[in-house]
Amino acid sequence: MALTRAGALWSSIAWVRDTRMHTRTHALITALLLSWLPALPVRAQPLPMVRPVPGMLITRSVRVAPGTYHWSGRASPDSALLTVRGNDITVDLRGVTFVGLPPDSAPDAARGTAVRIDGGRNVRVHGLTARGYRVGILARNVRGLLLEHNDLSYGWKPRLFSIVEHESLNDWLSFHRNEQDEWLRFGAGVYLRGVIGGRIIGNTVRQSMNGLLLSHSDSLDIRRNDFSFNSGLGIGLYRASWHRIVGNRADYNVRGSSHGFFQRGQDSAALLMFEQCTHNIVAYNSMTHSGDGLFLWAGQHTMDTGQGGSNDNLFLMNDFSFAPTNGMEATFSRNQFIGNRVVGSTHGLWGGYSYDTRVVGNCFGDNRIGVAVEHGQGNLVGGNHFIGDTLPLRIWADSV
């Protein structure tokens, strides 16, 4: 069975090799296929056991003594309970739980950071459970980061002012600036800045504001994580490119939605790609019941200069259904949408000012409008299924 599967994958890789495409896209798709090959067993070496104390600095590979530690976070995100600094370090946190707040506390009282990774290369953190912090894991300027099987749920999230019958405009979000880590004010299970290469595998962030936020980072493999039931974003990208986001769950990341009263979303999303996010592969993810399934915007730099954009991303075989606003929104950019599913949303795809974009083989059902493109140029829409949409396709421009 494994040999048959491996043979099929090697055949696929050969096809990619012989197909004319962008060199780095070729490399990304090949890596995507190779990741499904059977893994060889590796014998792990035992790590020295350490007992943690608040503010501890870790500079070598260790196993942290299992237990539940009730430690409040400090106000500054740079003052973490544990700080990891150095190269070729593994921190084994299996069986470790950090608790920053009593379970009956208001979520907006959470503060501080559980684990901070400060530079270095080839750093691995796995097995941590952390509750009641503004940021679960914060990493900056790391090359080759591995985060696996951490549960960073029940972190900080703000009090909302909307009620069932009435929306409050105070709850709308704005992600327009993050050059100085402004997004940290929103909190996150995982926040990465300047991280180049690595894997984010099998992590869970639920019942917080944001799951995973990436800024000024590239070439991460993000797989089989659960970033669901948050009030802001499942995954958020800012100037983040060449990532592979495959096989994740990011469902019910929503606010501003009250059935029968208002369906606004308030810029919550399963996946946000904001400001110069390019050459990402987003495939086989479940991203349903969120404010937007996908919210992609070229960025302020493009608005100011006409240059760049969130271009050349591939969205393949994802489910973006049941968004109160747009299943997929992609504006001022050039991308490919192949084989995705969007059911029960206001718009299946909103493509304002999109250009040279391919929308092929998708399934749109029971949306108010299947595909809506305002002021688009050079786009291809073909081979899609429209089932029960009030209006399958609308393409228009304002009169001059």
Side-chain angles (χ1 to χ4, degrees), residues 3 22 26 76 78 95 116 141 217 227 251 254 267 282 361 373 381 398:
L3 289 175
H22 190 286
H26 172 181
S76 170
D78 289 323
R116 178 165 63 104
N141 304 317
S217 299
F227 302 127
D251 302 320
V254 63
D267 284 347
V282 180
V373 180
V381 181
D398 294 335

Side-chain angles (χ1 to χ4, degrees), residues 165-194:
E165 299 88 358
H166 177 70
E167 177 193 16
S168 172
L169 299 182
N170 291 328
D171 294 337
W172 277 82
L173 299 173
S174 174
F175 296 99
H176 283 76
R177 299 185 183 277
N178 198 39
E179 300 301 325
Q180 304 299 322
D181 286 331
E182 290 89 345
W183 283 11
L184 275 174
R185 74 186 187 274
F186 296 135
V190 179
Y191 186 96
L192 308 181
R193 167 83 182 220

Side-chain angles (χ1 to χ4, degrees), residues 114-156:
V115 174
R116 178 165 63 104
I117 305 167
D118 187 9
R121 65 177 183 271
N122 301 330
V123 177
R124 178 190 184 202
V125 175
H126 70 119
L128 172 65
T129 298
R131 302 279 188 267
Y133 299 95
R134 185 175 285 262
V135 180
I137 295 177
L138 169 65
R140 288 196 179 103
N141 304 317
V142 181
R143 286 188 173 270
L145 176 66
L146 174 57
L147 302 179
E148 58 179 354
H149 304 300
N150 301 287
D151 189 340
L152 308 166
S153 303
Y154 299 97
W156 183 87

Side-chain angles (χ1 to χ4, degrees), residues 324-346:
T325 50
N326 304 314
M328 302 180 290
E329 177 177 340
T331 55
F332 299 96
S333 296
R334 175 186 65 237
N335 296 285
Q336 296 188 67
F337 301 90
I338 311 296
N340 301 284
R341 178 177 184 265
V342 185
V343 173
S345 303
T346 299

Side-chain angles (χ1 to χ4, degrees), residues 171-244:
D171 294 337
W172 277 82
L173 299 173
S174 174
F175 296 99
H176 283 76
R177 299 185 183 277
N178 198 39
E179 300 301 325
Q180 304 299 322
D181 286 331
E182 290 89 345
W183 283 11
L184 275 174
R185 74 186 187 274
F186 296 135
V190 179
Y191 186 96
L192 308 181
R193 167 83 182 220
V195 175
I196 310 301
R199 307 182 77 193
I200 313 298
I201 306 292
N203 302 281
T204 300
V205 184
R206 290 186 165 203
Q207 295 295 337
S208 301
M209 180 170 174
N210 301 303
L212 169 66
L213 299 183
L214 308 173
S215 179
H216 297 79
S217 299
D218 70 66
S219 305
L220 284 161
D221 197 14
I222 301 165
R223 294 176 185 267
R224 299 189 298 278
N225 302 283
D226 186 351
F227 302 127
S228 302
F229 296 99
N230 299 295
S231 69
L233 305 175
I235 302 172
L237 280 65
Y238 186 95
R239 294 190 182 271
S241 300
W242 298 103
H243 298 298
R244 298 178 296 276

